[in-house]
Amino acid sequence: MSIIKKITKIKSIVLLVIVLLIAGAVVYIRPFLPNVPLEDLQVKITPERLERGRYLFNNLAGRKECHSARNPNLQAMPVKEGTDGQGGMVFDHKEGLPGSFVANNITPFHLKHLSDGEIFWAITSGVTKGGHALFPLMPYKSFGHADKEDILSIIAYLRTLEPIKNDLPVSHSDFPMSIIIHTIPGKPDFHPVPDKNNSVQYGSYLANLGNCITCHSQANKGKLIAGMEFAGGRKVPIPTGGIVSSANITPDIETVIGSWTKQAFLQRFRNYSDTAFNPAAITAGSFNTVMPWMQFGQLTTDDLSAIYDFLRTVKPVKSTVF
């Protein structure tokens, strides 16, 4: 046998082994992963939980802006009245994602089919009813590191939303993400809300709940690029035309908020929460922002101040965003 034929035979054997290994992994992954147990729990609805859940859902961690309809024709794309939780926003290849992912209907119209444990499962572990994996665009990794009581409060509040009939298409992942996605969910690792007197730790907790790092970091097929955390540059298409990039929110003194005082930081948010703020109409092709200013602008001064204090401690990254 010639050397060329031997090399060709070896390559064929190696390729066959690789194919068999991949096939074996797929055979294992599909039926056995994700492997996160479903917790049997019932969430008691109390006034305290409803108030905390309302605050988190509407302003920080409930992702109201992701699971509702937003008006792209108005400045800051405010949530359309009467659409809270109806879902339907699509995140796909336009955002550089490996598939098409649809924000679920999280009103009681859909949640009536789910137990409290199943909702908790999805929010904190990324596993849906039937044991299917969620793509981590839904920030279950962040919620799985929150205070368990905060998650229970969000579930309690979701149960009180107005039911909205809104049947939606199913999300799907491209290959090989369609296989990889089953390996991503994991058991939650809850952490108590830090003492508010430690503003940096408390701000870190709030930034985690708000999932600031995802929107303000560049990513490749949904995976954050190491070393560019909070440095902005994530490109997002605007429905009225064009693309905007998220801001660099590291404390680099030369780029964006690095030179902002705390008062300037607070005022930027308050500009959108003031009762006098009236979103201006946006013409096609004009600049707009997907940053949910009107939701975050309703956070308390203490909470916004803590987020500012935390952001001053992250690694400065010189990254000018256009």
Side-chain angles (χ1 to χ4, degrees):
M1 184 181 293
S2 68
I3 294 178
I4 294 177
K5 286 184 177 180
K6 286 183 179 180
I7 293 175
T8 301
K9 185 176 181 179
I10 292 172
K11 286 183 177 179
S12 299
I13 293 172
V14 171
L15 180 60
L16 178 60
V17 170
I18 292 173
V19 170
L20 290 174
L21 288 173
I22 293 174
V26 171
V27 168
Y28 172 77
I29 288 172
R30 284 195 178 279
F32 296 110
L33 296 178
N35 182 23
V36 181
L38 171 63
E39 184 173 347
D40 182 19
L41 59 80
Q42 289 187 326
V43 178
K44 184 178 180 181
I45 297 179
T46 65
E48 293 77 18
R49 279 181 172 165
L50 286 179
E51 180 56 27
R52 178 63 172 170
R54 180 203 63 76
Y55 178 76
L56 293 175
F57 175 78
N58 287 296
N59 307 317
L60 183 66
R63 316 318 301 171
K64 175 179 176 177
E65 71 279 3
C66 292
H67 289 274
S68 307
R70 300 177 69 180
N71 190 341
N73 299 310
L74 293 179
Q75 183 184 1
M77 295 175 59
V79 170
K80 294 180 180 179
E81 187 175 352
T83 70
D84 289 5
Q86 73 172 26
M89 289 189 69
V90 179
F91 306 88
D92 54 22
H93 303 103
K94 294 190 295 294
E95 288 87 15
L97 298 174
S100 178
F101 307 99
V102 183
N104 288 328
N105 182 343
I106 55 174
T107 73
F109 172 79
H110 174 67
L111 297 187
K112 66 185 177 185
H113 302 296
L114 304 178
S115 68
D116 290 340
E118 287 167 335
I119 300 173
F120 184 81
W121 207 19
I123 293 176
T124 62
S125 296
V127 185
T128 66
K129 186 173 184 176
H132 303 292
L134 286 170
F135 186 70
L137 184 67
M138 158 61 183
Y140 53 83
K141 293 287 187 180
S142 295
F143 294 151
H145 285 81
D147 190 312
K148 185 175 182 179
E149 180 58 35
D150 273 348
I151 305 302
L152 299 182
S153 295
I154 291 173
I155 294 172
Y157 181 73
L158 291 178
R159 292 293 194 189
T160 70
L161 291 177
E162 186 70 25
I164 301 175
K165 186 180 187 304
N166 190 28
D167 295 315
L168 300 169
V170 177
S171 298
H172 71 269
S173 305
D174 300 334
F175 181 83
M177 180 53 67
S178 56
I179 303 300
I180 297 171
I181 192 173
H182 299 282
T183 69
I184 300 176
K187 295 179 182 179
D189 179 22
F190 297 115
H191 294 80
V193 178
D195 187 334
K196 290 185 178 182
N197 290 321
N198 188 327
S199 63
V200 172
Q201 286 188 10
Y202 181 57
S204 175
Y205 178 84
L206 296 174
N208 173 69
L209 270 182
N211 198 34
C212 303
I213 192 171
T214 294
C215 290
H216 287 278
S217 304
Q218 296 180 47
N220 181 21
K221 296 187 180 300
K223 184 177 181 180
L224 301 186
I225 297 175
M228 297 300 290
E229 294 84 0
F230 298 104
R234 192 172 191 128
K235 299 188 181 302
V236 182
I238 298 295
T240 51
I243 295 175
V244 296
S245 298
S246 58
N248 180 352
I249 56 175
T250 74
D252 179 66
I253 199 69
E254 296 179 11
T255 49
V256 196
I257 76 167
S259 61
W260 289 12
T261 64
K262 181 180 290 187
Q263 185 56 40
F265 181 85
L266 294 173
Q267 189 57 50
R268 181 62 181 270
F269 286 92
R270 293 296 177 241
N271 288 342
Y272 291 88
S273 63
D274 192 293
T275 54
F277 175 67
N278 185 24
I282 299 294
T283 58
S286 298
F287 172 80
N288 203 351
T289 175
V290 297
M291 168 71 178
W293 289 105
M294 299 176 74
Q295 280 76 52
F296 281 80
Q298 296 296 329
L299 290 171
T300 66
T301 297
D302 286 346
D303 285 1
L304 281 172
S305 294
I307 292 173
Y308 175 86
D309 290 341
F310 162 68
L311 290 177
R312 304 301 291 183
T313 69
V314 305
K315 184 188 74 173
V317 179
K318 192 176 296 297
S319 177
T320 303
V321 176
F322 297 98

